[in-house]
Amino acid sequence: MERKNISTGSKWEPVIGYSRAVIAGHHVSVSGTTATDETGKIVGEGDLYAQTKQAIKNIESALKGAGVPLSNVVRTRMFLTNIAEWEKAGRAHGEYFGEIRPSTTMVEVSKLIDPKMLIEIEADAVIDA
């Protein structure tokens, strides 16, 4: 099986030992992705809708690095720190994935790595044969 690691150059990738995305055969897995900009600053502090949109933009960027469009996403997993606000995350997710309709999970977690982070999203995609 062919494998390729996709890196964003984050200082944390080598420390923690992960890749932003991994291509394995015809499958692409994107690591848990939060609402950070290219400098690592959190976008949309206090705004779950804005953070969800930014996290999905970051997933789209990682997939682009793998040569895969967002339309090839087959699964997402959303981890929210406050499930009571699920509709905000759902609305943003629907704006990107409404036509794609991947299988999706949305769960509440007690906290993420930074208290300003309200959501983390993972994604799986396939590469066209």
Side-chain angles (χ1 to χ4, degrees), residues 3 10 19-20 24 31-32 37 53-54 58 60-62 64 73 75-76 82 90 92-94 115 119:
R3 176 192 170 112
S10 161
S19 297
R20 171 57 38 216
S31 292
D37 64 16
K53 288 183 69 163
Q54 183 64 41
N58 292 347
E60 185 173 35
S61 177
K64 184 180 270 187
V73 170
R75 179 158 179 72
T76 60
N82 182 0
H93 186 276
I119 189 165

Side-chain angles (χ1 to χ4, degrees), residues 1-22:
M1 172 186 71
E2 185 179 331
R3 176 192 170 112
K4 180 180 178 186
N5 295 342
I6 306 293
S7 173
T8 60
S10 161
K11 68 180 182 179
W12 297 111
E13 290 176 10
V15 172
I16 297 171
Y18 78 98
S19 297
R20 171 57 38 216
V22 175

Side-chain angles (χ1 to χ4, degrees), residues 8 30 58 80 90 101 122:
T8 60
V30 181
N58 292 347
L80 287 67
R101 310 244 343 236
E122 298 176 346

Side-chain angles (χ1 to χ4, degrees), residues 22-43:
V22 175
I23 301 171
H26 291 283
H27 183 83
V28 183
S29 293
V30 181
S31 292
T33 304
T34 57
T36 54
D37 64 16
E38 50 284 334
T39 67
K41 182 180 177 210
I42 296 171
V43 173

Side-chain angles (χ1 to χ4, degrees), residues 109-129:
V109 295
S110 63
K111 58 183 140 185
L112 295 171
I113 203 162
D114 184 314
K116 295 176 187 171
M117 293 174 177
L118 305 176
I119 189 165
E120 185 166 330
I121 305 173
E122 298 176 346
D124 295 313
V126 293
I127 298 172
D128 292 328

